[in-house]
Amino acid sequence: MTPEEITRKLGEVGLVNPLQSLAVGAIAYAGAFLMAIVAVLLSVVAIVVTGLGNPVDSALESVDMDQAEAGSGVASLLRLPFQLVAMATFGSFDVDGTIEGVSFGAGLRILPFGITLVMVLLAFYGGRFVQKRQRAGLLGIWTTSVLTGFGVALFTALSAFILAERVPAEAGASISLHAAGFDTFFGAFALITLSLALGRLTVRARRSWWPLVADLPAAFKLAVSHALIVTVLGLCGVTIVSTIQALIDGETPPMIYVLLLLPLIGGHVLSFVTGLDMLSAATANIDGAGALSYLMDGMNGTERATMFSLPWYTWLGGLLLGGLALLLASLLWQHQRRIVPHHVVSLGVSWIALPAAYFLGGLVLLVLSQASVAARLSGGGFFFGDMRIGASVGLAAWTPLLAMMAGVIVELLSRFVAPFLTPFLPSAALSWFRRPLAPAAAGVTSGAVGAAGASSAAGPAGSGPLTYSAPLAGAAPDGGFSLAPSAQGIPTDINADGVVEAGTVSAQHAGQAQAHEAVPTSADGTAAAGRYATVPIGATAGALSFAGAAGAAGAAGAAGAGGAGGAAGADGSTAEPGAAGNSTGKITAAAASLSPKTRKLILAGAVVVGAGIVLVIGLIVTFVVLSNTVFSPEKRVEAYLGAVQAGDAEQALEIAAPNVPTAQQALLTNDIAGAAENRISDFEIVGSEESGSKSATVTAKVTQDGVTTTRTYRVDRSGRTAVVFPDWTMAETEYATLALVIPDGAATLLVNGQEVAVSDLDTSEGYYAPAAVLPGQYTVTLPESSELVAAVESVAYVSADPDDWYELYAAPGYSLSESGMEEVQTQVDALLDECATSTEESPDGCPFRAYAYGVVEDSGSWMIDSYPTVEVEEGEEGWYFGSSSSAGAATYSYQKEGWGSDDEPTDETDESSFSVSGTVTVGEDGTVAVEFDDGWW
């Protein structure tokens, strides 16, 4: 067989030369590679803008390498685009290795959406371009697409593996960092195969049933348009607000970095902006295993944030943007929408197309939002063992359900609200949204009407589907073929019956059809025109009456009589209601007019429905606003900090009581806390993070004495208040503890000028009493009682920063006055005089003694020769006196027994010096009492 014969045989079964498709695959990869280079360059610019310097040098310095060891920075940048293209096909940037018996691995998975988008679009539109010039059947389309997808996937994986980044390791070995893998191969295979095949399929002829399901591709296009509208408008709003704020603060606008990194993070921006605006949640998860689970104590788990976690003006703008986007999407969806009337498939598809498309779009958002990093280490010895850590961010799993609800809302708005708004909008405002591959507009030829009328004369009015080709510019007078443009302006050959038949595209129109991008014939030669007529979705009732009139007036049409319903004439013409038939070859469907009363009812119903919708939206917005302002966890913390700032300890206790005994709350009164100096002077709520729906962590900056401290408070949801609003309660709050040192005998303390009974304090610890206090300065003293003593105050400063709550104590006391010192000396002298009345050589409890032996009983006596001068000092537990610098002297006189029984006693004396020491006790009434210590002499 000759090559021409082989080509013809293959063409008969739909197979074609795959070279053109392979060229499209190469172009798609090349485009993605160029986009990856742009992404790298923009990322370098973003890094330079941040002031970090050369990113390559910084990266090498961080691992203690020079460029000679790791290769030139330029070479690394040239290899990076190959890895980015591989990551754009769902690959993971991984590293694995073993060094000194320790096995390790790490991986980064993120989808650089800008690169993926370029690859997909080039493959899709390249497929359309090829199909228009290379007519291929289904077998040929899928064969060439699979072959191209395999080639591109193989090249993507191999190039990423061969051009991996090599990092030197021990003993001349190296570690490879690359994104090659099975996920890369199958991801690239699926993207290229499906994009190329879909691009080619969109150019093929539509089947006769296509008008029944034409809403499906339009729904996907609307879902994409909806996401783009929300993202673009949201980014514009955030850019304007953040840029103004940054310029006011003298900082670089943060959106510059986002715009520079869009080729890499564009998918995440699209998914998070769209998802959060649909009231979904952003989730962050971190998990560790092995020794890391202990080192990361408190970090494991999942955190979620919604649009309402942002400042109120941000989420309020997001709500308005979401509502506006839903309304705009409904207007686009309703504009020029046509369906096949009275067909259960068409009716079902018209209702489920948007929810299904939005649901699948939600799944796409889930994929685009995912970013994860993981690392593992094994063989690290007995202590470390096997360790693993992983972290990921993305949208919540219920995002597709919320997207489906958005699709339902858009469908409902398009049917019941948009028709009342569309007449007030210029057509140009909506005409930019073109339905892809939409079915043709409803219409029939003159001959078709007569045929339809005759065939359905016995049928009920409005029954059965309309099976006329559409639209028709008119049949040729001789019943031959005429070139009639479709809804997209594609010329088709139509016979006098209004049906495009197999193999009937005339040669004279072939060139013109191709010039107008005519839909090609299918493999079996059947042209692409649909056999179901369509009508605007709001005109179904008119179509019913038209079809019924045509059927009922079939007989009358033979006589050419005009009918009230627009019957067909014998020459195939139609007549206006009540008019005679004509020979123009056209049919005019009279629009069913509404009576003024019906119009008023419809308008009133629309007003009521609109007012109801506005009321519901208003109630929802009011509920959300109040729940996130007046009844928010932040407000509870604001109330607590406001009470602390005002010195309202009772209010602070009511909001957040400390978990301490009642006796330790004795200083938490308005009189004491309100009189404290240096209380907090200002505070600001800077953040709030909800942990599920039952608790939240609120972060506040507290200013005290010019120093700002960051504090966190946990708030738990405890039910509802005012029937519907959440009620928040502060969890156990940490209070500072002030240790009050209580002097012996003290019954009352003065704290900030307020009397506090010692009996009301917790004295179980012994000489001090712990007491919970609010931030501020506390002055603690004892009551003034007599001229002998003067009270000495103790000042304690309690910071708002818990890190400064160590060694918080106040030790009030008394200082002896001159009179008090004289009183101590007097009492010491009196005690010595009392000791001198003893006849013992060593009086009990006295500071002096004599070294005498054989003392005749009751013969001794003491004489104080000089009194010691005492000095009084304050100790840890009271006052002490001593005479170490000025001793006293005493003489003991006694009779000593003789050596023998006949010897007479002799008179003896013994002189001694002594010192005194003891304690001084100051009573509540200001009296002074002294007592000698035992064993000091």
Side-chain angles (χ1 to χ4, degrees):
M1 297 178 63
T2 63
E4 291 77 10
E5 292 176 339
I6 295 176
T7 302
R8 188 179 71 254
K9 290 291 185 180
L10 293 176
E12 292 176 356
V13 295
L15 294 176
V16 293
N17 192 331
L19 290 180
Q20 296 187 35
S21 295
L22 291 173
V24 170
I27 293 173
Y29 184 90
F33 184 80
L34 293 177
M35 190 64 188
I37 294 177
V38 173
V40 171
L41 295 177
L42 292 179
S43 300
V44 172
V45 173
I47 295 175
V48 173
V49 170
T50 60
L52 297 180
N54 188 328
V56 177
D57 291 339
S58 301
L60 295 177
E61 290 174 0
S62 66
V63 295
D64 193 22
M65 297 181 187
D66 56 29
Q67 293 188 1
E69 293 175 321
S72 69
V74 175
S76 299
L77 290 178
L78 290 178
R79 287 191 292 266
L80 186 56
F82 290 95
Q83 310 303 327
L84 288 178
V85 174
M87 295 177 68
T89 57
F90 304 100
S92 175
F93 192 65
D94 298 328
V95 57
D96 292 282
T98 301
I99 298 179
E100 296 183 356
V102 178
S103 176
F104 63 90
L108 170 66
R109 187 179 295 276
I110 185 173
L111 185 70
F113 181 66
I115 303 172
T116 306
L117 183 63
V118 170
M119 176 180 283
V120 169
L121 291 180
L122 287 176
F124 179 83
Y125 285 103
R128 288 178 58 88
F129 179 84
V130 170
Q131 183 65 18
K132 291 176 183 178
R133 287 153 181 78
Q134 186 185 54
R135 306 300 183 185
L138 288 178
L139 181 60
I141 288 176
W142 285 107
T143 301
T144 55
S145 298
V146 168
L147 182 60
T148 303
F150 180 83
V152 174
L154 185 62
F155 181 83
T156 302
L158 288 179
S159 60
F161 180 77
I162 296 173
L163 297 173
E165 185 68 39
R166 311 289 179 179
V167 178
E170 62 172 1
S174 64
I175 301 172
S176 298
L177 291 83
H178 59 78
F182 288 104
D183 48 2
T184 301
F185 177 84
F186 288 108
F189 176 77
L191 286 177
I192 296 298
T193 300
L194 294 178
S195 301
L196 181 60
L198 288 177
R200 301 193 69 162
L201 288 174
T202 56
V203 184
R204 280 178 52 84
R206 305 278 73 80
R207 297 292 183 179
S208 60
W209 44 260
W210 177 256
L212 301 176
V213 297
D215 266 352
L216 285 175
F220 286 105
K221 182 176 181 179
L222 182 70
V224 173
S225 302
H226 190 166
L228 290 176
I229 290 172
V230 171
T231 302
V232 172
L233 294 181
L235 279 183
C236 289
V238 173
T239 301
I240 293 173
V241 174
S242 62
T243 301
I244 293 175
Q245 184 63 45
L247 294 178
I248 293 175
D249 297 337
E251 300 175 351
T252 303
M255 290 303 296
I256 290 180
Y257 308 115
V258 176
L259 296 177
L260 289 174
L261 297 176
L262 269 183
L264 296 179
I265 64 172
H268 295 83
V269 173
L270 174 70
S271 58
F272 280 111
V273 172
T274 306
L276 292 178
D277 198 62
M278 290 191 303
L279 306 184
S280 184
T283 63
N285 179 71
I286 185 169
D287 179 45
L292 285 176
S293 62
Y294 299 99
L295 299 176
M296 297 168 51
D297 184 29
M299 295 180 60
N300 289 337
T302 301
E303 297 292 337
R304 293 184 176 89
T306 65
M307 182 172 61
F308 302 109
S309 303
L310 302 174
W312 68 269
Y313 51 85
T314 303
W315 59 254
L316 184 58
L319 287 178
L320 295 176
L321 173 61
L324 179 63
L326 290 173
L327 183 59
L328 179 57
S330 68
L331 292 172
L332 295 174
W333 187 238
Q334 190 269 344
H335 181 63
Q336 295 183 349
R337 187 182 182 189
R338 310 180 69 86
I339 64 171
V340 177
H342 320 302
H343 198 289
V344 65
V345 173
S346 178
L347 181 62
V349 169
S350 71
W351 279 102
I352 68 173
L354 269 188
Y358 273 63
F359 180 82
L360 293 177
L363 293 177
V364 174
L365 293 181
L366 280 183
V367 174
L368 295 181
S369 67
Q370 290 298 312
S372 62
V373 61
R376 61 172 179 81
L377 179 68
S378 60
F382 175 77
F383 177 75
F384 292 102
D386 294 337
M387 296 187 298
R388 177 182 56 80
I389 183 175
S392 63
V393 296
L395 287 174
W398 54 84
T399 301
L401 297 179
L402 294 175
M404 183 176 67
M405 293 177 59
V408 173
I409 294 174
V410 171
E411 181 66 47
L412 293 175
L413 290 176
S414 70
R415 291 175 183 262
F416 302 108
V417 176
F420 297 98
L421 300 178
T422 302
F424 301 98
L425 298 176
S427 178
L430 303 175
S431 59
W432 61 269
F433 179 77
R434 299 180 60 188
R435 293 175 172 271
L437 305 172
V444 292
T445 63
S446 56
V449 172
S455 62
S456 58
S463 63
L466 297 176
T467 57
Y468 315 129
S469 297
L472 306 180
D478 58 357
F481 299 96
S482 65
L483 194 62
S486 69
Q488 290 78 28
I490 300 175
T492 55
D493 283 314
I494 307 168
N495 63 14
D497 294 329
V499 178
V500 178
E501 297 179 345
T504 58
V505 178
S506 61
Q508 64 180 1
H509 297 143
Q512 185 179 0
Q514 190 172 22
H516 288 80
E517 295 186 351
V519 177
T521 58
S522 59
D524 59 1
T526 304
R531 296 184 61 83
Y532 291 92
T534 61
V535 296
I537 193 168
T540 306
L544 279 170
S545 26
F546 174 79
D571 60 349
S573 65
T574 61
E576 296 293 332
N582 59 69
S583 58
T584 60
K586 299 180 181 179
I587 296 178
T588 303
S593 59
L594 300 176
S595 66
K597 182 178 180 180
T598 303
R599 291 180 180 273
K600 290 181 179 179
L601 289 176
I602 293 177
L603 181 60
V607 171
V608 171
V609 172
I613 293 175
V614 172
L615 178 61
V616 171
I617 294 176
L619 290 175
I620 293 174
V621 171
T622 301
F623 171 78
V624 173
V625 170
L626 292 178
S627 296
N628 287 274
T629 54
V630 179
F631 300 97
S632 66
E634 294 90 340
K635 281 297 180 182
R636 181 59 61 178
V637 177
E638 284 183 6
Y640 170 73
L641 293 177
V644 174
Q645 181 181 10
D648 191 347
E650 296 174 3
Q651 179 68 15
L653 276 175
E654 183 179 347
I655 298 174
N659 187 22
V660 296
T662 304
Q664 296 185 21
Q665 302 179 23
L667 303 189
L668 294 176
T669 66
N670 289 352
D671 293 335
I672 295 176
E677 299 179 355
N678 289 329
R679 300 192 302 270
I680 66 172
S681 57
D682 192 16
F683 64 89
E684 178 187 4
I685 305 298
V686 296
S688 177
E689 183 177 359
E690 293 193 16
S691 302
S693 60
K694 297 298 183 182
S695 64
T697 300
V698 180
T699 304
K701 287 187 176 180
V702 179
T703 303
Q704 181 188 27
D705 195 21
V707 179
T708 300
T709 303
T710 300
R711 294 287 307 273
T712 57
Y713 303 91
R714 201 188 81 190
V715 187
D716 296 328
R717 188 167 179 174
S718 57
R720 295 193 176 274
T721 183
V723 182
V724 296
F725 296 105
D727 187 20
W728 296 93
T729 303
M730 288 190 66
E732 178 182 325
T733 302
E734 186 180 10
Y735 280 67
T737 299
L738 178 64
L740 300 173
V741 180
I742 303 174
D744 290 340
T748 304
L749 299 178
L750 294 177
V751 183
N752 289 343
Q754 306 299 316
E755 290 189 359
V756 178
V758 174
S759 60
D760 293 337
L761 299 174
D762 181 7
T763 57
S764 60
E765 297 293 336
Y767 69 94
Y768 76 93
V773 289
L774 298 175
Q777 182 172 298
Y778 293 83
T779 302
V780 185
T781 186
L782 297 169
E784 297 284 353
S785 53
S786 71
E787 63 179 7
L788 302 178
V789 294
V792 178
E793 66 182 21
S794 178
V795 178
Y797 176 77
V798 181
S799 172
D801 187 354
D803 293 338
D804 297 333
W805 289 354
Y806 57 90
E807 296 185 0
L808 281 179
Y809 70 92
Y814 288 111
S815 64
L816 293 176
S817 63
E818 290 295 330
S819 298
M821 298 293 291
E822 294 176 357
E823 178 64 20
V824 171
Q825 183 68 59
T826 299
Q827 292 191 25
V828 169
D829 293 347
L831 288 177
L832 292 175
D833 290 339
E834 184 179 351
C835 288
T837 61
S838 174
T839 61
E840 301 293 332
E841 66 272 17
S842 297
D844 292 336
C846 295
F848 43 73
R849 63 175 295 177
Y851 294 93
Y853 302 96
V855 178
V856 177
E857 186 178 358
D858 296 333
S859 66
S861 63
W862 286 94
M863 174 64 71
I864 304 298
D865 300 324
S866 63
Y867 291 95
T869 301
V870 298
E871 298 174 351
V872 182
E873 294 182 357
E874 184 179 8
E876 292 183 358
E877 299 184 4
W879 293 89
Y880 302 91
F881 67 86
S883 60
S884 59
S885 60
S886 177
T891 301
Y892 181 63
S893 301
Y894 63 95
Q895 287 186 331
K896 182 179 181 182
E897 295 178 349
W899 290 102
S901 59
D902 294 335
D903 295 337
E904 293 292 331
T906 60
D907 292 329
E908 301 287 343
T909 61
D910 183 66
E911 295 181 357
S912 63
S913 62
F914 63 90
S915 62
V916 296
S917 64
T919 59
V920 179
T921 302
V922 180
E924 180 73 14
D925 56 356
T927 59
V928 175
V930 299
E931 183 180 359
F932 288 141
D933 287 336
D934 294 333
W936 280 53
W937 41 80

